[in-house]
Amino acid sequence: MSIFEVMGPIMIGPSSSHTAGAAKLGRMARLLFADKIEKVVVNLHGSFANTAGGHGTDRAVIGGLLGFLPDDERIRTSFKIAEEEGMDFEFKEVNLRDVHPNTLMLELYAGEKNLSITGSSIGGGRIVITKINQNDVNLTGRMPTLWILHRDRPGEVGKITSTLGYHSINIAFMQVYRNKKGDIGSCIIELDQVPDSDVITSLEKMENVLQVRYLPSL
Amino acid sequence: MQYSTIDELLKVAEKNNISISEVVIQVEVEESELPREEVVAKMKESLVVMRDAIEKGRNSRIKSSGGLVGEEALKMAEYSKDKPERLFMAAITDALAVAEVNAGMGKIVAGPTAGASGIVPAVVVSVGEKLNLSDLDMVKGLFTAAGLGDVVSHTATLAGAAGGCQAECGVGSAMAAGAAVELMGGSPEMAVNAFALALKNLLGLVCDPVAGLVEVPCVKRNGFAASHALTAALMALSGIKSVIPPDEVILAMTDVGSQMPSTLRETAKGGLAITPTGREIKNKLENKE
């Protein structure tokens, strides 16, 4: 662990878990969604629901959804900026089962498209995304990460990992999911190196790959 | 070069005849595999953020989220205006300033935590200015503080929810005390003694924030903890030693934290949070939301 995790991070106050962590969760959701967000419903659970206003959790999440980093002073006026950029937002209090006290679920919309992301702020500004739509995942944003959707075919995951290997990118952690055999597979790959745009393009060009999202480390 | 306890940090410094900050910088350079200039520049960036926060808190009325704090530093700055400049006055004012900026959703360096972010900047900047030290010297002070805090983060906790406020303002004060000793020309041994003295005296400090906000008692506590760090530094510089060694004080902090009821660990269910006034404030804020 770097000493800058003790003497840092540089952030907008007042709370690393309720403000910085909330901004990171919003930003992660934006990167996963990738399209321009037209509307978002922010469902707050537990301590996030109880103290959202006082800790600026609400403004931090919206700031993150606008792409702001946790040290961006625009977080303070994120509601106004969201309005200017045409991003509708709404807050709800929910009771999610068996989750960390600082958890939120974001429902993102753009035209026909929608995506639901659940994540928790687990202390000191560290976060974890625990669900993408109905799939359980474990995504911390501490390493460069790829989220790839592909047709569920034999050898498809192998082709993806070989492509990364060909570009000298090492896989640190990897999670694979699917809803139904032969339908759509989803893999989350955490990397030791930062993939350049060539790597992303060659993954996107693969026959059975449907979507590639790159999330730089937070 | 490496260290995982305060004792090891001290021994490495003494063996190589270098300061604690130098040990911390060298280890960070090794571990991050970044050039030294880059590591130092990164800490310099923190110093800039700290100075800006001090400036802002001293000169303006801050609107905090809960509205419970916001003009403490302004009052102190006003009060000290026509008085001879004193180190303690400056440190207290600076600590209040940063803690208020944090409460008002301003930019701060969360070291060791956001709630305790006023102490280290206040001590390092006020001592640095009083002694006319260079920015690089102040940056070194921040490395000393960071190295001491790093040991605590590995062997204990820095979270109020886990260890109470002793783990936040207590550790922040201890980190700042060590930094102050180095800035004032004391030896590494004096610095670790100042760390131990400061932490020892804040053992048992509870985390009982009113309405769960990082405002009461947090902001003013940063001011107290900054002057407390200076007291520890001056004692250590005079040659006073902590009878209990620093690493054992950290163990004691963990022990005390684990015996602390959860009502006093950042749940806002005990202490100041449940006083009649504390409850009233909470109700008022909830109805407003």
Side-chain angles (χ1 to χ4, degrees), chain B residues 91-177:
Chain B
I92 296 164
T93 312
D94 290 352
L96 291 170
V98 177
E100 272 173 65
V101 166
N102 179 59
M105 290 188 79
K107 198 193 275 193
I108 52 97
V109 182
T113 64
S117 59
I119 307 160
V120 172
V123 170
V124 167
V125 171
S126 62
V127 170
E129 285 181 354
K130 189 79 191 156
L131 299 179
N132 285 318
L133 301 178
S134 67
D135 281 7
L136 183 60
D137 285 329
M138 287 189 236
V139 166
K140 283 183 187 165
L142 295 179
F143 275 108
T144 304
L148 295 167
D150 191 37
V151 170
V152 181
S153 79
H154 283 103
T155 51
T157 177
L158 295 174
C165 196
Q166 55 169 4
E168 298 206 23
C169 284
V171 173
S173 191
M175 289 161 62

Side-chain angles (χ1 to χ4, degrees), chain B residues 231-263:
Chain B
T231 306
L234 294 176
M235 281 193 201
L237 284 163
S238 81
I240 294 176
K241 287 184 182 169
S242 173
V243 173
I244 309 296
D247 292 303
E248 291 182 33
V249 178
I250 298 172
L251 285 176
M253 183 187 87
T254 304
D255 186 39
V256 171
S258 64
Q259 291 183 51
M260 211 179 260
S262 75
T263 49

Side-chain angles (χ1 to χ4, degrees), chain A residues 3-215:
Chain A
I3 48 149
F4 290 101
E5 288 187 37
V6 176
M7 209 62 227
I10 295 174
M11 56 169 270
I12 301 302
S15 161
S16 54
S17 55
H18 287 68
T19 323
K24 282 188 190 173
L25 286 168
R27 189 159 187 275
M28 198 85 136
R30 176 194 173 93
L31 292 168
L32 288 166
F33 193 62
D35 288 318
K36 184 176 158 39
I37 303 164
E38 288 169 8
K39 184 185 155 91
V40 57
V41 180
V42 182
N43 298 281
L44 299 166
H45 165 91
S47 171
F48 264 3
N50 295 335
T51 64
H55 282 127
T57 306
D58 45 7
R59 282 176 278 172
V61 179
I62 299 301
L65 285 161
L66 291 166
F68 304 163
L69 288 164
D71 68 346
D72 194 322
E73 299 196 78
R74 290 176 294 175
I75 283 176
R76 272 204 299 277
T77 51
S78 65
F79 286 1
K80 201 170 146 260
I81 298 170
E83 206 175 294
E84 286 161 8
E85 294 194 3
M87 185 177 87
D88 273 348
F89 58 90
E90 179 187 340
F91 289 91
K92 284 184 184 164
E93 284 188 22
V94 289
N95 193 356
L96 305 167
R97 277 163 203 274
D98 300 324
V99 293
H100 187 281
N102 294 331
T103 295
L104 52 76
M105 197 238 300
L106 301 167
E107 299 166 76
L108 310 172
Y109 301 93
E112 298 285 285
K113 194 186 154 185
N114 65 72
L115 184 71
S116 142
I117 309 267
T118 304
S120 308
S121 179
I122 55 173
R126 284 168 301 142
I127 59 151
V128 57
I129 301 283
T130 53
K131 251 181 207 268
I132 299 178
N133 288 331
Q134 288 315 306
N135 298 316
D136 290 326
V137 298
N138 184 339
L139 191 54
T140 62
R142 297 184 89 178
M143 313 182 87
T145 303
L146 287 168
W147 177 39
I148 301 173
L149 293 181
H150 58 88
R151 290 190 189 91
D152 185 26
R153 303 276 186 276
E156 203 52 43
V157 173
K159 285 182 201 156
I160 292 169
T161 57
S162 302
T163 304
L164 291 170
Y166 175 77
H167 287 91
S168 304
I169 303 236
N170 192 46
I171 297 173
F173 303 100
M174 177 159 175
Q175 305 156 57
V176 292
Y177 312 88
R178 69 172 183 208
N179 289 333
K180 205 170 80 197
K181 191 168 142 190
D183 192 11
I184 292 172
S186 168
C187 52
I188 288 172
I189 312 174
E190 293 179 286
L191 308 167
D192 285 332
Q193 289 84 19
V194 174
D196 58 26
S197 55
D198 285 356
V199 180
I200 313 272
T201 313
S202 42
L203 287 168
E204 280 172 339
K205 277 191 188 149
M206 290 172 63
E207 195 190 337
N208 287 315
V209 167
L210 305 168
Q211 173 193 297
V212 180
R213 293 278 181 269
Y214 172 59
L215 300 96

